[in-house]
Amino acid sequence: MEIHCNVTTLEAQTQINSTIFHLVKMASMCVSYTFNTLLSVPLLLVITRSPSLLRHTRFLLLTHLLLCDNLQQLLWTVKAVILRSREGIPLTQCLIFCAATQACSLVALFLSTALAVDRYVAVKWPLRYEFLMCPQRKRATVAAIWTLSAVLSSGSLCISLNTIQVNFPLPRCRPLILTPCLSGTSALVIYCTVGSAVVVPLCFLTILGCFCVLCWDMSAGLLCTKRACVTLTLQVAQTVLFSVPMVMDSYLIPGYLHSDALDIATTITYNLGVSLIPLVYGYRSRELQQRIRQAAVCHQA
């Protein structure tokens, strides 16, 4: 059933002056995107120029994770610039941006889960690792992650376009601002709620389960070291931070709890996590540290 909204209903959900709100969002996104790009480029150059590194599953997944994070932040930056310049955005454009960023969030979440599983297999069955993580399976896993994320987000986008009818620019571009346009039994609400309630906990429990099992089986080994504890902490924190936009843009949280201030805080927190955590994985790798030093020496020579 098509549900129509009026501009007064949607504008009532804005608490901060639109000019200030969009300026803060644009500034934070530009800073975050620039910082993330500057730190990601050395890692991406080193990994992509070394076929031997790309043969390792963890570096292949890390490469896609960094590319995905940069793509998502680019989309958010472009959206922030459009909103800042126009003080509003058409419904179709907003829904497309939301679907694209949601797809990137899913990719990042799935890649983080795949990284945890890869480390679990490498430590648990080192002698069978090459067989279990053969090149065909690695490529199939990466392709499946991107494809599944695109399919899930496309389904949400199609339902949104067929359900919501708004004939005026939106003052904000976040899915929850459209809550008054939907009924509690809307197909979009059900689809997004079920998806978020299943995907996020499943990925989180998989990552946590991999490390807990390894801690149990190897209580006197690798996972008792400081380095392993840091890795576990980063994995859990990364999953939580990657889950933030999915949960905040879903209908698991009542619409009345959302606000402009919460939107800004969520965006900044998520961007800091996205910018730092995958990069810590890369720069903490001894192999990548060595390759970066070698590249620096060759460049100076």
Side-chain angles (χ1 to χ4, degrees):
M1 180 180 66
E2 294 182 352
I3 302 174
H4 298 267
C5 308
N6 59 67
V7 66
T8 304
T9 303
L10 298 186
E11 287 183 344
Q13 299 185 74
T14 62
Q15 297 83 28
I16 301 177
N17 178 272
S18 292
T19 301
I20 297 175
F21 176 82
H22 295 313
L23 181 61
V24 172
K25 290 273 287 188
M26 184 182 70
S28 65
M29 285 309 313
C30 289
V31 171
S32 177
Y33 177 64
T34 302
F35 177 73
N36 192 37
T37 302
L38 290 175
L39 289 178
S40 297
V41 167
L43 290 174
L44 291 172
L45 288 177
V46 167
I47 296 175
T48 55
R49 290 183 177 182
S50 305
S52 59
L53 289 179
L54 282 175
R55 284 196 289 268
H56 293 280
T57 306
R58 65 183 183 278
F59 292 132
L60 176 64
L61 295 174
L62 179 60
T63 300
H64 282 267
L65 184 57
L66 291 173
L67 290 172
C68 175
D69 291 341
N70 278 278
L71 175 60
Q72 184 178 34
Q73 291 199 319
L74 176 61
L75 291 170
W76 274 357
T77 303
V78 171
K79 183 179 72 173
V81 171
I82 291 175
L83 283 164
R84 175 68 181 87
S85 61
R86 298 179 184 177
E87 294 290 340
I89 187 171
L91 173 69
T92 302
Q93 292 183 18
C94 176
L95 292 177
I96 291 174
F97 271 116
C98 289
T101 54
Q102 183 186 51
C104 291
S105 296
L106 285 170
V107 170
L109 198 57
F110 290 148
L111 286 172
S112 300
T113 306
L115 273 168
V117 174
D118 173 71
R119 293 298 81 208
Y120 173 82
V121 174
V123 175
K124 185 78 171 177
W125 300 293
L127 299 180
R128 301 182 59 191
Y129 177 77
E130 292 299 328
F131 171 75
L132 295 173
M133 296 293 181
C134 61
Q136 294 81 2
R137 289 177 181 172
K138 288 187 288 188
R139 290 193 292 268
T141 299
V142 172
I145 287 173
W146 283 95
T147 302
L148 179 60
S149 301
V151 169
L152 292 175
S153 299
S154 298
S156 175
L157 176 61
C158 291
I159 297 174
S160 300
L161 292 173
N162 291 325
T163 302
I164 305 172
Q165 298 295 321
V166 174
N167 299 318
F168 49 84
L170 299 175
R172 303 284 188 270
C173 183
R174 58 176 184 258
L176 266 296
I177 202 171
L178 298 170
T179 302
C181 306
L182 302 168
S183 66
T185 57
S186 167
L188 177 61
V189 174
I190 296 174
Y191 181 89
C192 294
T193 301
V194 172
S196 301
V198 172
V199 172
V200 174
L202 184 61
C203 291
F204 184 84
L205 291 174
T206 300
I207 291 174
L208 193 59
C210 286
F211 282 100
C212 287
V213 171
L214 289 177
C215 286
W216 178 267
D217 291 346
M218 304 180 65
S219 57
L222 173 67
L223 294 180
C224 282
T225 66
K226 180 180 178 181
R227 188 178 185 85
C229 291
V230 172
T231 301
L232 172 59
T233 303
L234 288 173
Q235 283 278 16
V236 175
Q238 184 185 43
T239 306
V240 172
L241 289 168
F242 281 161
S243 303
V244 167
M246 289 189 60
V247 174
M248 296 304 297
D249 290 343
S250 72
Y251 298 91
L252 293 172
I253 299 177
Y256 64 85
L257 294 178
H258 292 265
S259 64
D260 288 343
L262 181 60
D263 188 353
I264 293 174
T266 300
T267 300
I268 293 175
T269 302
Y270 176 75
N271 286 339
L272 288 174
V274 167
S275 298
L276 294 176
I277 295 180
L279 302 180
V280 170
Y281 284 137
Y283 286 112
R284 286 181 68 247
S285 168
R286 295 188 180 94
E287 294 175 81
L288 290 183
Q289 290 175 4
Q290 182 180 1
R291 296 298 179 98
I292 291 174
R293 285 194 293 266
Q294 291 174 352
V297 170
C298 293
H299 180 71
Q300 293 175 355

